[in-house]
Amino acid sequence: MTDHPRTVLILGGGTGGLVAANRLRRMLDREHRVVLVDRSPFYTFEPSLSWVMTGARKVPQLTRDLRSLSKKGIEVVTAEVRALDTDGKRVLANETWLEYDYLVIALGVDYSSAEVPGLNKAWTFYHPDGAEGLRDELAKFRGGRVAVAVPSLPYKCPPAIYEGAMLLDDHFQKAGIRGDVEMSVYTPEPAPLTLAGAAISERILELLRRRDVGFTGGVTMKSVNQEKRTMNFADGSKAEFDLLVATPVHNLPHVLEESGLIGHDGWVAVNPEQLHTAAENVYAIGDCTGIPIAGGKSLPKAGVFAHGQAEVVARNITAEIGGREPIWAYGGQGACFMETGGGKGSYLSGNYYEEPPQVTMRAPGRLWHWAKLGFERTWLWRWF
């Protein structure tokens, strides 16, 4: 028993927040409170949204009710986080101030299209409504120019845009219209997945070439003219499309902008290994953070990193509450599946804290497709 019960408040019910809440609840004595706050009562397994796009999944299959975590002893508050008072150790959720002893910020990113005029009418598979809408649009599509685009950096799960392009190619093949479709990927990166190294970039390019999917790198989207069906880039170049599939612009959640926790890169600054911020007993994990790595780059935004960081933070908070030394450290490891179409997939894994990052990519095969299916099912079972 500690001298008094502690409250650990977790902001955000995405991958990082969900893992942190589960781990803390399992490791802490029941005298301590674990409180999870999210504006939505539902969690959706985002790695499978590209399957929703092609009709292989339905959103309800991937969605779970966060409030069901109460059966584990996790208190769930459905509310918008409106303000942080780290000096007073409290958070404003809707109209109620919630006090904490330890705070874990896992608010992810906010999606936007306002920065790129016309982007609001593009299709996307980056959230459930977008994936369902794109699925319905694909059912009506009969051919033309398909642009798969990244308007700006950073964006979540960098391999996802290439997975999306290859699944679209597969979809058009099955629909018997691939010969009537011209496909290209557009991104500000000079090559695919530059952080993973030149060898991985070339392997992704080869996968695209085999599918007759073009690639244009080094272009930043300035605007979209929906009437003329053109994308306009910052360098003055243009590209035409009949169907535009794009990632949203990713922004820091507004509530964090005035938190005093932001680094020079515009994201929450944390210690790379322990994930603590400049405020006492305040940690931040996942997509809302900015963690420098080799080459002046930042750790990619992806659920696998949020997961690993959540494990470290949960263990260190538990140690501190128990009067022990917090010895756990996050090492920059991450891995993800990437569907390549035709019932096959690949697997990328590596350490992004090494200089340079060391990343490997497995050859596409049916094993990795089935592994992703298994991962989806195991994940939803394990954390709910």
Side-chain angles (χ1 to χ4, degrees), residues 285-332:
I285 60 177
D287 298 338
C288 66
T289 65
I291 300 178
I293 60 174
K297 305 294 185 179
S298 296
L299 185 71
K301 299 187 183 301
V304 65
F305 300 118
H307 183 151
Q309 293 162 2
E311 298 275 7
V312 168
V313 167
R315 283 166 170 77
N316 283 339
I317 289 176
T318 300
E320 287 195 25
I321 291 176
R324 303 185 303 277
E325 188 71 19
I327 62 172
W328 293 85
Y330 179 64

Side-chain angles (χ1 to χ4, degrees), residues 240-258:
E240 298 178 334
F241 66 85
D242 295 294
L243 179 69
L244 173 58
V245 179
T247 64
V249 175
H250 291 37
N251 290 328
L252 181 77
H254 178 72
V255 69
L256 297 177
E257 292 176 358
E258 305 299 325

Side-chain angles (χ1 to χ4, degrees), residues 2-337:
T2 55
D3 54 349
H4 66 88
R6 309 295 173 85
T7 295
V8 183
L9 189 61
I10 302 163
L11 307 182
T15 296
L18 183 61
V19 172
N22 272 274
R23 287 300 192 203
L24 283 160
R25 186 65 286 164
R26 291 175 189 175
M27 293 185 291
L28 287 174
D29 291 337
R30 288 300 173 123
E31 64 177 317
H32 306 296
R33 298 173 64 208
V34 176
V35 184
L36 179 65
V37 183
D38 197 281
R39 59 190 171 192
S40 170
F42 300 109
Y43 169 88
T44 298
F45 187 72
E46 292 186 349
S48 294
L49 288 177
S50 56
W51 284 337
V52 174
M53 170 187 73
T54 60
R57 283 288 182 282
K58 295 181 179 179
V59 170
Q61 294 175 282
L62 313 175
T63 301
R64 299 292 184 272
D65 194 325
L66 289 170
R67 294 166 295 189
S68 69
L69 298 174
S70 61
K71 67 180 182 290
K72 300 183 178 184
I74 299 169
E75 299 175 44
V76 178
V77 177
T78 302
E80 185 82 26
V81 178
R82 301 192 182 278
L84 274 63
D85 175 11
T86 55
D87 291 332
K89 291 192 173 182
R90 59 180 190 163
V91 169
L92 182 62
N94 284 352
E95 307 302 325
T96 303
W97 285 100
L98 304 176
E99 297 182 346
Y100 66 83
D101 295 287
Y102 292 88
L103 179 66
V104 180
I105 302 172
L107 288 172
V109 299
D110 281 348
Y111 290 150
S112 173
S113 59
E115 296 80 358
V116 181
L119 183 63
N120 63 321
K121 294 185 179 179
W123 300 98
T124 189
F125 58 88
Y126 259 63
H127 50 75
D129 289 344
E132 289 179 321
L134 179 52
R135 174 200 62 205
D136 295 342
E137 183 66 15
L138 289 174
K140 300 181 290 185
F141 189 70
R142 293 295 177 265
R145 297 159 297 192
V146 176
V148 181
V150 177
S152 64
L153 303 175
Y155 68 99
K156 294 197 307 186
C157 193
I161 199 70
Y162 303 100
E163 174 178 274
M166 288 185 277
L167 287 179
L168 284 170
D169 166 73
D170 188 53
H171 170 81
F172 295 137
Q173 294 279 3
K174 292 176 179 176
I177 62 170
R178 185 61 180 92
D180 299 318
V181 175
E182 178 184 323
M183 290 185 62
S184 288
V185 174
Y186 301 85
T187 175
E189 287 193 288
L193 308 185
T194 53
L195 287 179
I200 302 296
S201 294
E202 181 53 39
R203 293 187 68 179
I204 300 294
L205 286 172
E206 178 59 26
L207 287 174
L208 296 178
R209 283 193 289 264
R210 290 179 187 174
R211 291 157 176 77
D212 195 23
V213 177
F215 176 85
T216 300
V219 290
T220 300
M221 192 183 295
K222 183 179 180 182
S223 65
V224 178
N225 189 320
Q226 293 288 347
E227 292 184 0
K228 295 182 178 180
R229 296 183 181 244
T230 59
M231 290 179 290
N232 304 301
F233 300 108
D235 62 2
S237 63
K238 298 183 178 182
E240 298 178 334
F241 66 85
D242 295 294
L243 179 69
L244 173 58
V245 179
T247 64
V249 175
H250 291 37
N251 290 328
L252 181 77
H254 178 72
V255 69
L256 297 177
E257 292 176 358
E258 305 299 325
S259 66
L261 305 175
I262 309 307
H264 70 278
D265 63 353
W267 300 91
V268 178
V270 296
N271 175 282
E273 294 183 337
Q274 280 76 40
L275 291 310
H276 55 71
T277 71
E280 182 184 13
N281 291 351
V282 177
Y283 298 81
I285 60 177
D287 298 338
C288 66
T289 65
I291 300 178
I293 60 174
K297 305 294 185 179
S298 296
L299 185 71
K301 299 187 183 301
V304 65
F305 300 118
H307 183 151
Q309 293 162 2
E311 298 275 7
V312 168
V313 167
R315 283 166 170 77
N316 283 339
I317 289 176
T318 300
E320 287 195 25
I321 291 176
R324 303 185 303 277
E325 188 71 19
I327 62 172
W328 293 85
Y330 179 64
Q333 299 89 354
C336 71
F337 298 99

